Amino acid sequence: MAKIGVETERRRALIDATIAAIGERRSLDVTMSDIAGRAGVSSALAHHYFGGKGDLLEATMRALLADLSRDTVLALRRAQTPRARISAVIAVNFSVSQFRQETVHAWLAFYLEAQRSAPLRRLLRIYGYRLYSNLMSGLTPLMPRTEAERMAEGIAAMIDGLYIRRALRDGLPHPGSATALVEDYVETKLRQAAG
Amino acid sequence: MAKIGVETERRRALIDATIAAIGERRSLDVTMSDIAGRAGVSSALAHHYFGGKGDLLEATMRALLADLSRDTVLALRRAQTPRARISAVIAVNFSVSQFRQETVHAWLAFYLEAQRSAPLRRLLRIYGYRLYSNLMSGLTPLMPRTEAERMAEGIAAMIDGLYIRRALRDGLPHPGSATALVEDYVETKLRQAAG
Amino acid sequence: MAKIGVETERRRALIDATIAAIGERRSLDVTMSDIAGRAGVSSALAHHYFGGKGDLLEATMRALLADLSRDTVLALRRAQTPRARISAVIAVNFSVSQFRQETVHAWLAFYLEAQRSAPLRRLLRIYGYRLYSNLMSGLTPLMPRTEAERMAEGIAAMIDGLYIRRALRDGLPHPGSATALVEDYVETKLRQAAG
Amino acid sequence: MAKIGVETERRRALIDATIAAIGERRSLDVTMSDIAGRAGVSSALAHHYFGGKGDLLEATMRALLADLSRDTVLALRRAQTPRARISAVIAVNFSVSQFRQETVHAWLAFYLEAQRSAPLRRLLRIYGYRLYSNLMSGLTPLMPRTEAERMAEGIAAMIDGLYIRRALRDGLPHPGSATALVEDYVETKLRQAAG
DNA sequence: AATGAATGAGCCTTCATTCAT
DNA sequence: AATGAATGAAGGCTCATTCAT
């Protein structure tokens, strides 16, 4: 097994440390020293590898997105029907790895920061677009396009809203109940459309 | 008629300035000097009146909550039926004054900050509870309690989620489409419950 | 006697401290902390009053220029003949207050920095122009314009060169010998022109 | 023919890179990384070869001096009379290779740095002494020693002063006009001495 | 011979906060 | 009541330098 390069290793460690720091501090207002300390390196090294705080944050957001993306692709691959695709997307967003306090806090923090940072905003746009199109790929076979669009928007809003609530009330809602809530919304709407 | 005290006037000016500053900066990361400057006073005076930055932020959040609360009370007073009460609550959250970019940004910023500040967290709890119970007062007459609870949670999540989306995509969704989305959710569920 | 404002006082103290620091360190490579320390204040205050290091340096250069300008005006006022005007300009540049090690070092340091800082460059342009036109006001009555121009340039170059030599060799040349050298140049040229 | 050692090659490349960096940055305030990068090597290698930044700067100054020295020797060799020796020395200082912006900036930067670095100061002393004695070798046959000493000092000051002016005003004075100015000084004085 | 990895020290700058007036 | 003056603490960033490989 080839040993991964030291640089790759350090970059990953720094990104993980960033997520951890944000998760614990519950805000992007973390210091480079804190992050570097968690990664077991000097803050100078963090600058050496990433250039600056902004770049490190961007890389972290990118990593978060990549994780979500990977999980989503895997989940969709296992979905055999349009209906299953919808559930897959929902499930991924509330999966254990995505719905961890730490991750949820990081997402929200990035949501806010994106309002000021163009690069972050761009990244979140990508995320929004993917979520939307993944949902649409499951919805359009089941209902008229207009209806599907509205529903995709509703589902997305619900997911985001549940993230907020998750962040605010420590521990609640559980991944399970969150999933159930969104699934119920989907189910009701589908039955209505079918009826 | 008693002239309102200078102090009251200054406090209000400082709180307004805080909201404005947060709205423009799109984050709680505003300086006392900036806020004081907008209010036309020295930063020392802001400390004199509020004690510290945290206290000023808390007072501001409280003012935001009071505004929402007042609007909600007024709207509910005009609602004649349970169904109308639900719509009233939704409408208030997407009303022109509440769904302004500035206000939305402030809400989200406070959401995040609340994770670290116990006083802010307490205030947001109150907000959450009020939203929930107001919704419940409209829902319980129309469906079983368990169903109502779940729905209240769903509506609340959707509202929060739409706030996020509003903050991210400048201008969208419109108050109108946001309202329609949530109303559609309610309507569908009610019809299902009735059917 | 009106007490001068605290701000004016502090600004002056900081500028003096800057000259002292540059003079001792013999370079513009001085720290804000060092400067502030010499002035007996915190570095934060230096920023408060001047905005940043660049601004403080610019203000200092401006003060240096103002001193030179004031001395020059006074000396010229006492000069009764064109010839005396020339000597006055030379004398001022090698006067005790201008030819102090400290001041000379500062001038040279600013000369170099001006190559990179547009504001400083602008200030030095002013200095150069004044020196030139002051010399010309003494030279043109005594010789053809072309000759006068060349001589003004020669005198100016000699003055600058003597500053360098003064900076390099601690203590030498004395103000006296420097003056004598330039005066000799002037005298020789004048005699030639007359002859 | 022995291939020149890699080390010699690298050292020369680093010194050239240092001059280039100083010339471009117009100050000694260049980083080892910048220099090393220009030379196509790692900054660690620069340390390996020179020990530290100070040593590299010293070596660079030495190289500059060697260039000037070589040019001077060549020019003096072609001078047949004392008068020609004087002109040769002047000409070299304003020759194309010496009066390049880059080189002029480097000289001035080193002038200043020499005030803090003993080794650099020593090097500049050597330069000053050589310039002086070269001038004297041309002047003493033509006038009394005291007169010659003063003139050598005047010429040297003028040359230095013209370097400053060259550095400040991009492009001016031309080598030609600079030479003419100094030559005119010399000529006037010689005629006076002769007369 | 050459380099990437890593760091400690230092600097500029910002900001909430205090205090005398 | 209100402010200007002043600061301590902290953070981001840079850079010369060292060291193992």
Side-chain angles (χ1 to χ4, degrees):
Chain A
M1 277 232 261
K3 209 184 70 164
I4 57 174
V6 180
E7 169 157 358
T8 307
E9 200 177 334
R10 287 284 177 274
R11 291 183 88 100
R12 185 70 218 177
L14 280 165
I15 286 176
D16 287 346
T18 304
I19 297 178
I22 293 173
E24 190 170 298
R25 187 109 172 70
R26 309 193 157 192
S27 146
L28 286 197
D29 190 15
V30 291
T31 73
M32 289 296 272
S33 295
D34 180 17
I35 294 172
R38 286 168 191 267
V41 299
S42 72
S43 74
L45 195 66
H47 278 93
H48 178 61
Y49 280 133
F50 288 95
K53 192 181 179 180
D55 305 274
L56 175 52
L57 291 182
E58 189 182 335
T60 302
M61 162 98 267
R62 212 181 285 274
L64 240 34
L65 237 175
D67 281 355
L68 179 59
S69 190
R70 196 203 49 225
D71 287 359
T72 305
V73 167
L74 289 178
L76 285 176
R77 198 170 290 166
R78 285 192 301 269
Q80 306 290 347
T81 65
R83 181 64 184 83
R85 294 180 70 82
I86 304 175
S87 288
V89 171
I90 296 170
V92 165
N93 277 281
F94 297 125
S95 69
V96 179
S97 78
Q98 291 299 326
F99 213 49
R100 271 193 319 236
Q101 286 287 332
E102 191 178 89
T103 315
V104 165
H105 285 309
W107 274 107
L108 286 184
F110 279 118
Y111 268 129
L112 277 201
E113 185 63 14
Q115 296 158 28
R116 271 178 302 169
S117 157
L120 289 189
R121 198 158 48 238
R122 225 168 295 132
L123 284 175
L124 275 185
R125 287 255 168 77
I126 295 173
Y127 154 77
Y129 177 72
R130 284 199 192 146
L131 175 58
Y132 180 79
S133 64
N134 282 329
L135 285 173
M136 288 299 279
S137 78
L139 290 167
T140 45
L142 304 177
M143 61 187 74
R145 177 155 199 94
T146 314
E147 193 67 15
E149 280 169 354
R150 164 175 293 199
M151 231 190 120
E153 180 66 21
I155 295 172
M158 221 171 207
I159 291 174
D160 283 351
L162 286 164
Y163 265 65
I164 284 191
R165 305 181 99 64
R166 164 75 168 175
L168 284 185
R169 289 177 296 179
D170 271 341
L172 280 173
H174 309 285
S177 65
T179 306
L181 199 58
V182 184
E183 282 289 348
D184 172 67
Y185 172 47
V186 172
E187 203 50 42
T188 309
K189 292 289 290 181
L190 284 183
R191 233 175 279 140
Q192 177 199 33
Chain B
M1 277 236 257
K3 205 180 65 165
I4 58 171
V6 181
E7 170 157 357
T8 307
E9 202 176 334
R10 288 275 186 276
R11 294 182 83 100
R12 184 69 217 176
L14 280 165
I15 286 176
D16 288 346
T18 305
I19 296 178
I22 294 173
E24 191 170 297
R25 188 104 172 70
R26 309 192 154 193
S27 146
L28 285 197
D29 189 14
V30 291
T31 72
M32 289 297 272
S33 295
D34 179 17
I35 293 171
R38 285 167 190 268
V41 299
S42 73
S43 72
L45 194 66
H47 277 90
H48 179 63
Y49 278 138
F50 289 93
K53 190 180 181 180
D55 306 276
L56 174 53
L57 290 182
E58 188 182 334
T60 301
M61 163 97 267
R62 212 181 285 275
L64 240 34
L65 236 176
D67 281 355
L68 178 60
S69 190
R70 195 203 50 225
D71 287 358
T72 305
V73 167
L74 290 177
L76 286 176
R77 196 170 293 165
R78 285 192 301 269
Q80 305 292 345
T81 65
R83 181 62 185 84
R85 293 181 69 82
I86 302 174
S87 289
V89 172
I90 294 170
V92 165
N93 276 281
F94 297 125
S95 70
V96 179
S97 77
Q98 291 300 326
F99 213 50
R100 271 194 319 238
Q101 286 285 334
E102 190 177 272
T103 316
V104 165
H105 286 309
W107 274 107
L108 286 184
F110 279 118
Y111 268 129
L112 278 203
E113 185 64 14
Q115 297 158 26
R116 272 179 301 170
S117 157
L120 288 188
R121 197 158 50 238
R122 226 170 293 132
L123 285 174
L124 276 183
R125 287 255 169 76
I126 295 173
Y127 152 78
Y129 177 72
R130 284 198 191 145
L131 176 57
Y132 179 80
S133 63
N134 282 329
L135 285 172
M136 287 300 278
S137 79
L139 290 167
T140 44
L142 305 178
M143 63 186 74
R145 176 155 201 95
T146 314
E147 193 67 15
E149 280 171 354
R150 162 176 296 201
M151 231 192 120
E153 180 65 22
I155 294 172
M158 222 172 206
I159 291 174
D160 282 351
L162 286 164
Y163 265 64
I164 283 191
R165 305 181 99 63
R166 163 76 168 176
L168 284 186
R169 290 177 298 179
D170 270 341
L172 281 172
H174 311 284
S177 65
T179 306
L181 199 58
V182 185
E183 282 288 348
D184 172 67
Y185 172 48
V186 173
E187 203 52 39
T188 308
K189 291 292 290 182
L190 285 182
R191 234 176 277 141
Q192 177 200 32
Chain C
M1 278 235 258
K3 209 184 68 163
I4 56 173
V6 181
E7 170 158 357
T8 308
E9 202 177 332
R10 287 282 176 276
R11 291 183 87 100
R12 184 71 218 177
L14 280 165
I15 286 176
D16 288 346
T18 304
I19 296 178
I22 293 173
E24 190 169 297
R25 187 107 172 70
R26 310 192 156 193
S27 146
L28 286 198
D29 189 15
V30 291
T31 73
M32 289 295 274
S33 296
D34 179 17
I35 293 172
R38 285 167 192 268
V41 299
S42 71
S43 73
L45 195 65
H47 279 92
H48 177 62
Y49 280 134
F50 287 94
K53 191 181 181 181
D55 306 275
L56 175 53
L57 290 182
E58 188 181 336
T60 302
M61 162 97 268
R62 212 181 284 275
L64 240 34
L65 237 175
D67 281 356
L68 179 59
S69 191
R70 195 203 50 225
D71 287 357
T72 305
V73 167
L74 289 178
L76 286 176
R77 197 171 292 166
R78 285 192 301 268
Q80 305 291 346
T81 64
R83 182 62 185 81
R85 294 181 68 82
I86 302 174
S87 288
V89 171
I90 294 170
V92 165
N93 276 281
F94 297 125
S95 69
V96 179
S97 76
Q98 291 299 327
F99 212 50
R100 271 193 320 238
Q101 286 287 332
E102 192 176 270
T103 315
V104 165
H105 286 310
W107 274 107
L108 286 184
F110 280 119
Y111 268 130
L112 278 202
E113 186 62 14
Q115 296 159 27
R116 273 179 300 169
S117 157
L120 289 189
R121 198 158 48 237
R122 226 170 294 133
L123 285 175
L124 275 185
R125 287 254 169 78
I126 296 173
Y127 154 78
Y129 177 72
R130 283 196 193 149
L131 176 57
Y132 180 80
S133 64
N134 281 329
L135 285 173
M136 287 301 278
S137 78
L139 290 167
T140 45
L142 306 176
M143 62 187 74
R145 176 153 202 96
T146 313
E147 193 67 15
E149 279 171 353
R150 162 175 296 199
M151 232 192 119
E153 180 65 21
I155 295 173
M158 221 170 206
I159 292 175
D160 283 352
L162 286 164
Y163 266 64
I164 283 191
R165 304 182 98 64
R166 164 76 169 176
L168 284 185
R169 290 176 298 179
D170 271 342
L172 281 174
H174 311 285
S177 65
T179 307
L181 199 57
V182 184
E183 282 289 347
D184 172 66
Y185 171 49
V186 172
E187 203 52 40
T188 309
K189 292 290 292 181
L190 285 182
R191 234 176 276 141
Q192 176 200 31
Chain D
M1 277 239 257
K3 207 181 65 165
I4 58 170
V6 180
E7 169 155 358
T8 308
E9 202 177 334
R10 287 276 185 275
R11 293 181 84 100
R12 184 68 217 178
L14 280 165
I15 287 176
D16 287 346
T18 305
I19 297 178
I22 294 174
E24 191 169 298
R25 188 105 172 72
R26 309 191 155 195
S27 145
L28 286 198
D29 190 14
V30 291
T31 72
M32 290 295 273
S33 296
D34 179 17
I35 294 171
R38 285 168 191 267
V41 299
S42 72
S43 72
L45 194 65
H47 276 90
H48 180 61
Y49 278 137
F50 289 93
K53 190 180 181 181
D55 306 276
L56 174 53
L57 290 181
E58 189 182 335
T60 302
M61 162 96 269
R62 213 182 283 275
L64 240 33
L65 237 176
D67 280 355
L68 178 60
S69 191
R70 195 203 50 224
D71 287 357
T72 306
V73 167
L74 290 178
L76 286 177
R77 198 171 292 166
R78 284 193 301 269
Q80 305 292 346
T81 65
R83 181 62 186 81
R85 293 180 69 81
I86 303 175
S87 288
V89 171
I90 295 170
V92 165
N93 276 281
F94 297 126
S95 69
V96 179
S97 77
Q98 290 300 326
F99 212 49
R100 271 193 321 236
Q101 286 285 333
E102 191 177 271
T103 315
V104 165
H105 285 309
W107 275 106
L108 286 184
F110 279 118
Y111 268 130
L112 278 202
E113 185 63 13
Q115 297 159 27
R116 273 180 299 171
S117 157
L120 288 189
R121 197 158 50 238
R122 227 170 292 131
L123 285 174
L124 277 183
R125 287 255 169 77
I126 295 173
Y127 153 78
Y129 177 71
R130 284 198 192 147
L131 175 58
Y132 180 79
S133 63
N134 283 329
L135 285 173
M136 288 299 278
S137 79
L139 291 166
T140 44
L142 305 177
M143 61 186 75
R145 176 156 200 95
T146 315
E147 193 68 15
E149 279 171 352
R150 163 176 294 199
M151 233 192 116
E153 180 65 21
I155 294 172
M158 223 171 204
I159 291 174
D160 282 352
L162 286 164
Y163 265 63
I164 282 191
R165 304 181 99 63
R166 164 76 169 175
L168 284 185
R169 291 177 296 179
D170 269 340
L172 280 174
H174 310 285
S177 65
T179 306
L181 198 59
V182 185
E183 282 289 347
D184 172 67
Y185 172 49
V186 172
E187 203 52 41
T188 309
K189 291 292 289 182
L190 284 183
R191 235 175 276 141
Q192 177 199 33

